[in-house]
PDB file of all heavy atoms in Angstrom:
ATOM      1  N   THR A 334     -69.841  -6.896 -19.472  1.00  0.00           N
ATOM      2  CA  THR A 334     -69.224  -6.027 -20.528  1.00  0.00           C
ATOM      3  C   THR A 334     -70.358  -5.093 -21.045  1.00  0.00           C
ATOM      4  O   THR A 334     -71.490  -5.531 -21.218  1.00  0.00           O
ATOM      5  CB  THR A 334     -68.763  -6.802 -21.693  1.00  0.00           C
ATOM      6  OG1 THR A 334     -67.752  -7.725 -21.235  1.00  0.00           O
ATOM      7  CG2 THR A 334     -68.088  -5.969 -22.792  1.00  0.00           C
ATOM      8  N   ASN A 335     -70.035  -3.836 -21.213  1.00  0.00           N
ATOM      9  CA  ASN A 335     -70.929  -2.881 -21.857  1.00  0.00           C
ATOM     10  C   ASN A 335     -70.178  -2.057 -22.868  1.00  0.00           C
ATOM     11  O   ASN A 335     -68.991  -2.068 -22.937  1.00  0.00           O
ATOM     12  CB  ASN A 335     -71.689  -2.053 -20.882  1.00  0.00           C
ATOM     13  CG  ASN A 335     -70.739  -1.284 -19.972  1.00  0.00           C
ATOM     14  OD1 ASN A 335     -70.177  -0.338 -20.428  1.00  0.00           O
ATOM     15  ND2 ASN A 335     -70.674  -1.608 -18.716  1.00  0.00           N
ATOM     16  N   GLN A 336     -70.967  -1.321 -23.718  1.00  0.00           N
ATOM     17  CA  GLN A 336     -70.342  -0.517 -24.709  1.00  0.00           C
ATOM     18  C   GLN A 336     -70.518   0.926 -24.486  1.00  0.00           C
ATOM     19  O   GLN A 336     -71.575   1.429 -23.916  1.00  0.00           O
ATOM     20  CB  GLN A 336     -70.970  -0.854 -26.098  1.00  0.00           C
ATOM     21  CG  GLN A 336     -70.446  -2.054 -26.815  1.00  0.00           C
ATOM     22  CD  GLN A 336     -70.783  -2.103 -28.261  1.00  0.00           C
ATOM     23  OE1 GLN A 336     -71.721  -1.445 -28.754  1.00  0.00           O
ATOM     24  NE2 GLN A 336     -70.063  -2.938 -28.973  1.00  0.00           N
ATOM     25  N   VAL A 337     -69.430   1.698 -24.876  1.00  0.00           N
ATOM     26  CA  VAL A 337     -69.544   3.143 -24.895  1.00  0.00           C
ATOM     27  C   VAL A 337     -69.121   3.682 -26.132  1.00  0.00           C
ATOM     28  O   VAL A 337     -68.481   3.007 -26.949  1.00  0.00           O
ATOM     29  CB  VAL A 337     -68.576   3.868 -23.754  1.00  0.00           C
ATOM     30  CG1 VAL A 337     -69.095   3.390 -22.355  1.00  0.00           C
ATOM     31  CG2 VAL A 337     -67.142   3.304 -23.959  1.00  0.00           C
ATOM     32  N   VAL A 338     -69.647   4.823 -26.523  1.00  0.00           N
ATOM     33  CA  VAL A 338     -69.337   5.510 -27.826  1.00  0.00           C
ATOM     34  C   VAL A 338     -68.347   6.649 -27.664  1.00  0.00           C
ATOM     35  O   VAL A 338     -68.606   7.463 -26.873  1.00  0.00           O
ATOM     36  CB  VAL A 338     -70.624   5.903 -28.518  1.00  0.00           C
ATOM     37  CG1 VAL A 338     -70.276   6.564 -29.909  1.00  0.00           C
ATOM     38  CG2 VAL A 338     -71.576   4.738 -28.758  1.00  0.00           C
ATOM     39  N   SER A 339     -67.269   6.592 -28.379  1.00  0.00           N
ATOM     40  CA  SER A 339     -66.307   7.607 -28.255  1.00  0.00           C
ATOM     41  C   SER A 339     -66.896   8.932 -28.769  1.00  0.00           C
ATOM     42  O   SER A 339     -67.485   8.991 -29.820  1.00  0.00           O
ATOM     43  CB  SER A 339     -65.040   7.290 -29.081  1.00  0.00           C
ATOM     44  OG  SER A 339     -64.147   8.405 -29.190  1.00  0.00           O
ATOM     45  N   LYS A 340     -66.618  10.018 -28.025  1.00  0.00           N
ATOM     46  CA  LYS A 340     -67.111  11.354 -28.453  1.00  0.00           C
ATOM     47  C   LYS A 340     -66.335  11.888 -29.662  1.00  0.00           C
ATOM     48  O   LYS A 340     -66.874  12.799 -30.369  1.00  0.00           O
ATOM     49  CB  LYS A 340     -67.011  12.314 -27.250  1.00  0.00           C
ATOM     50  CG  LYS A 340     -67.897  11.911 -26.085  1.00  0.00           C
ATOM     51  CD  LYS A 340     -67.775  13.004 -24.926  1.00  0.00           C
ATOM     52  CE  LYS A 340     -68.699  12.605 -23.794  1.00  0.00           C
ATOM     53  NZ  LYS A 340     -68.484  13.502 -22.631  1.00  0.00           N
ATOM     54  N   THR A 341     -65.111  11.467 -29.801  1.00  0.00           N
ATOM     55  CA  THR A 341     -64.344  11.997 -30.884  1.00  0.00           C
ATOM     56  C   THR A 341     -64.434  11.192 -32.166  1.00  0.00           C
ATOM     57  O   THR A 341     -64.491  11.813 -33.254  1.00  0.00           O
ATOM     58  CB  THR A 341     -62.850  12.042 -30.469  1.00  0.00           C
ATOM     59  OG1 THR A 341     -62.359  10.751 -30.055  1.00  0.00           O
ATOM     60  CG2 THR A 341     -62.573  13.005 -29.320  1.00  0.00           C
ATOM     61  N   THR A 342     -64.557   9.918 -32.111  1.00  0.00           N
ATOM     62  CA  THR A 342     -64.613   9.094 -33.314  1.00  0.00           C
ATOM     63  C   THR A 342     -66.022   8.436 -33.607  1.00  0.00           C
ATOM     64  O   THR A 342     -66.202   8.004 -34.626  1.00  0.00           O
ATOM     65  CB  THR A 342     -63.589   7.929 -33.234  1.00  0.00           C
ATOM     66  OG1 THR A 342     -63.981   7.085 -32.146  1.00  0.00           O
ATOM     67  CG2 THR A 342     -62.213   8.459 -32.947  1.00  0.00           C
ATOM     68  N   ASN A 343     -66.878   8.579 -32.591  1.00  0.00           N
ATOM     69  CA  ASN A 343     -68.214   8.003 -32.701  1.00  0.00           C
ATOM     70  C   ASN A 343     -68.164   6.490 -32.897  1.00  0.00           C
ATOM     71  O   ASN A 343     -69.174   5.892 -33.288  1.00  0.00           O
ATOM     72  CB  ASN A 343     -69.025   8.673 -33.726  1.00  0.00           C
ATOM     73  CG  ASN A 343     -69.402  10.102 -33.470  1.00  0.00           C
ATOM     74  OD1 ASN A 343     -69.741  10.342 -32.380  1.00  0.00           O
ATOM     75  ND2 ASN A 343     -69.488  10.920 -34.570  1.00  0.00           N
ATOM     76  N   LYS A 344     -67.045   5.936 -32.467  1.00  0.00           N
ATOM     77  CA  LYS A 344     -66.934   4.406 -32.608  1.00  0.00           C
ATOM     78  C   LYS A 344     -67.280   3.844 -31.312  1.00  0.00           C
ATOM     79  O   LYS A 344     -66.901   4.355 -30.154  1.00  0.00           O
ATOM     80  CB  LYS A 344     -65.495   4.032 -32.971  1.00  0.00           C
ATOM     81  CG  LYS A 344     -65.113   4.395 -34.383  1.00  0.00           C
ATOM     82  CD  LYS A 344     -63.622   3.916 -34.669  1.00  0.00           C
ATOM     83  CE  LYS A 344     -63.300   4.219 -36.165  1.00  0.00           C
ATOM     84  NZ  LYS A 344     -61.956   3.846 -36.538  1.00  0.00           N
ATOM     85  N   PRO A 345     -67.971   2.585 -31.243  1.00  0.00           N
ATOM     86  CA  PRO A 345     -68.236   1.908 -30.004  1.00  0.00           C
ATOM     87  C   PRO A 345     -67.070   1.142 -29.509  1.00  0.00           C
ATOM     88  O   PRO A 345     -66.317   0.633 -30.218  1.00  0.00           O
ATOM     89  CB  PRO A 345     -69.420   0.933 -30.421  1.00  0.00           C
ATOM     90  CG  PRO A 345     -69.104   0.603 -31.907  1.00  0.00           C
ATOM     91  CD  PRO A 345     -68.534   1.861 -32.390  1.00  0.00           C
ATOM     92  N   TYR A 346     -66.884   1.121 -28.181  1.00  0.00           N
ATOM     93  CA  TYR A 346     -65.915   0.447 -27.513  1.00  0.00           C
ATOM     94  C   TYR A 346     -66.447  -0.421 -26.375  1.00  0.00           C
ATOM     95  O   TYR A 346     -67.367   0.081 -25.643  1.00  0.00           O
ATOM     96  CB  TYR A 346     -64.824   1.399 -26.983  1.00  0.00           C
ATOM     97  CG  TYR A 346     -64.009   2.097 -27.995  1.00  0.00           C
ATOM     98  CD1 TYR A 346     -64.426   3.463 -28.424  1.00  0.00           C
ATOM     99  CD2 TYR A 346     -62.879   1.583 -28.453  1.00  0.00           C
ATOM    100  CE1 TYR A 346     -63.700   4.045 -29.344  1.00  0.00           C
ATOM    101  CE2 TYR A 346     -62.089   2.287 -29.461  1.00  0.00           C
ATOM    102  CZ  TYR A 346     -62.546   3.537 -29.908  1.00  0.00           C
ATOM    103  OH  TYR A 346     -61.791   4.165 -30.771  1.00  0.00           O
ATOM    104  N   ASP A 347     -65.901  -1.659 -26.306  1.00  0.00           N
ATOM    105  CA  ASP A 347     -66.358  -2.585 -25.185  1.00  0.00           C
ATOM    106  C   ASP A 347     -65.484  -2.244 -23.941  1.00  0.00           C
ATOM    107  O   ASP A 347     -64.281  -1.946 -24.100  1.00  0.00           O
ATOM    108  CB  ASP A 347     -66.093  -4.039 -25.620  1.00  0.00           C
ATOM    109  CG  ASP A 347     -67.056  -4.488 -26.725  1.00  0.00           C
ATOM    110  OD1 ASP A 347     -68.209  -4.191 -26.579  1.00  0.00           O
ATOM    111  OD2 ASP A 347     -66.558  -5.059 -27.687  1.00  0.00           O
ATOM    112  N   LYS A 348     -66.177  -2.306 -22.843  1.00  0.00           N
ATOM    113  CA  LYS A 348     -65.414  -2.001 -21.591  1.00  0.00           C
ATOM    114  C   LYS A 348     -66.006  -2.916 -20.492  1.00  0.00           C
ATOM    115  O   LYS A 348     -67.132  -3.429 -20.501  1.00  0.00           O
ATOM    116  CB  LYS A 348     -65.646  -0.554 -21.138  1.00  0.00           C
ATOM    117  CG  LYS A 348     -67.031  -0.100 -20.871  1.00  0.00           C
ATOM    118  CD  LYS A 348     -67.174   1.353 -20.369  1.00  0.00           C
ATOM    119  CE  LYS A 348     -66.703   1.427 -18.892  1.00  0.00           C
ATOM    120  NZ  LYS A 348     -67.030   2.706 -18.296  1.00  0.00           N
ATOM    121  N   ARG A 349     -65.208  -3.166 -19.491  1.00  0.00           N
ATOM    122  CA  ARG A 349     -65.646  -3.945 -18.405  1.00  0.00           C
ATOM    123  C   ARG A 349     -64.844  -3.394 -17.082  1.00  0.00           C
ATOM    124  O   ARG A 349     -63.678  -3.014 -17.212  1.00  0.00           O
ATOM    125  CB  ARG A 349     -65.223  -5.401 -18.519  1.00  0.00           C
ATOM    126  CG  ARG A 349     -65.736  -6.336 -17.452  1.00  0.00           C
ATOM    127  CD  ARG A 349     -65.012  -7.780 -17.551  1.00  0.00           C
ATOM    128  NE  ARG A 349     -65.335  -8.427 -18.758  1.00  0.00           N
ATOM    129  CZ  ARG A 349     -66.395  -9.417 -18.906  1.00  0.00           C
ATOM    130  NH1 ARG A 349     -67.197  -9.608 -17.888  1.00  0.00           N
ATOM    131  NH2 ARG A 349     -66.496  -9.949 -20.036  1.00  0.00           N
ATOM    132  N   ILE A 365     -60.994  -2.221 -18.086  1.00  0.00           N
ATOM    133  CA  ILE A 365     -60.331  -2.769 -19.239  1.00  0.00           C
ATOM    134  C   ILE A 365     -61.223  -2.644 -20.505  1.00  0.00           C
ATOM    135  O   ILE A 365     -62.416  -2.483 -20.355  1.00  0.00           O
ATOM    136  CB  ILE A 365     -59.971  -4.268 -18.995  1.00  0.00           C
ATOM    137  CG1 ILE A 365     -61.281  -5.054 -18.654  1.00  0.00           C
ATOM    138  CG2 ILE A 365     -58.952  -4.385 -17.902  1.00  0.00           C
ATOM    139  CD1 ILE A 365     -61.005  -6.532 -18.467  1.00  0.00           C
ATOM    140  N   TRP A 366     -60.568  -2.613 -21.715  1.00  0.00           N
ATOM    141  CA  TRP A 366     -61.235  -2.272 -22.981  1.00  0.00           C
ATOM    142  C   TRP A 366     -61.067  -3.292 -24.023  1.00  0.00           C
ATOM    143  O   TRP A 366     -60.155  -4.089 -24.008  1.00  0.00           O
ATOM    144  CB  TRP A 366     -60.626  -0.896 -23.399  1.00  0.00           C
ATOM    145  CG  TRP A 366     -60.797   0.187 -22.364  1.00  0.00           C
ATOM    146  CD1 TRP A 366     -59.912   0.545 -21.361  1.00  0.00           C
ATOM    147  CD2 TRP A 366     -61.922   1.163 -22.272  1.00  0.00           C
ATOM    148  NE1 TRP A 366     -60.327   1.583 -20.704  1.00  0.00           N
ATOM    149  CE2 TRP A 366     -61.541   1.958 -21.202  1.00  0.00           C
ATOM    150  CE3 TRP A 366     -63.037   1.321 -23.018  1.00  0.00           C
ATOM    151  CZ2 TRP A 366     -62.322   3.038 -20.828  1.00  0.00           C
ATOM    152  CZ3 TRP A 366     -63.831   2.373 -22.570  1.00  0.00           C
ATOM    153  CH2 TRP A 366     -63.466   3.218 -21.500  1.00  0.00           C
ATOM    154  N   GLY A 367     -61.869  -3.187 -25.070  1.00  0.00           N
ATOM    155  CA  GLY A 367     -61.741  -3.905 -26.250  1.00  0.00           C
ATOM    156  C   GLY A 367     -61.765  -5.424 -26.067  1.00  0.00           C
ATOM    157  O   GLY A 367     -62.550  -6.031 -25.278  1.00  0.00           O
ATOM    158  N   ALA A 370     -61.445  -6.778 -22.611  1.00  0.00           N
ATOM    159  CA  ALA A 370     -62.741  -6.764 -21.857  1.00  0.00           C
ATOM    160  C   ALA A 370     -63.572  -7.961 -22.212  1.00  0.00           C
ATOM    161  O   ALA A 370     -64.173  -8.667 -21.406  1.00  0.00           O
ATOM    162  CB  ALA A 370     -63.428  -5.461 -22.063  1.00  0.00           C
ATOM    163  N   THR A 371     -63.765  -8.117 -23.522  1.00  0.00           N
ATOM    164  CA  THR A 371     -64.713  -9.192 -24.003  1.00  0.00           C
ATOM    165  C   THR A 371     -64.174 -10.565 -23.662  1.00  0.00           C
ATOM    166  O   THR A 371     -64.959 -11.551 -23.456  1.00  0.00           O
ATOM    167  CB  THR A 371     -65.000  -9.130 -25.444  1.00  0.00           C
ATOM    168  OG1 THR A 371     -63.720  -9.024 -26.170  1.00  0.00           O
ATOM    169  CG2 THR A 371     -65.763  -7.744 -25.744  1.00  0.00           C
TER     170      THR A 371
END
Side-chain angles (χ1 to χ4, degrees):
T334 304
N335 58 73
Q336 280 195 341
V337 294
V338 178
S339 170
K340 294 180 180 179
T341 55
T342 64
N343 288 325
K344 292 182 178 179
Y346 291 93
D347 293 312
K348 61 175 285 191
R349 188 192 295 265
I365 55 178
W366 303 87
T371 55

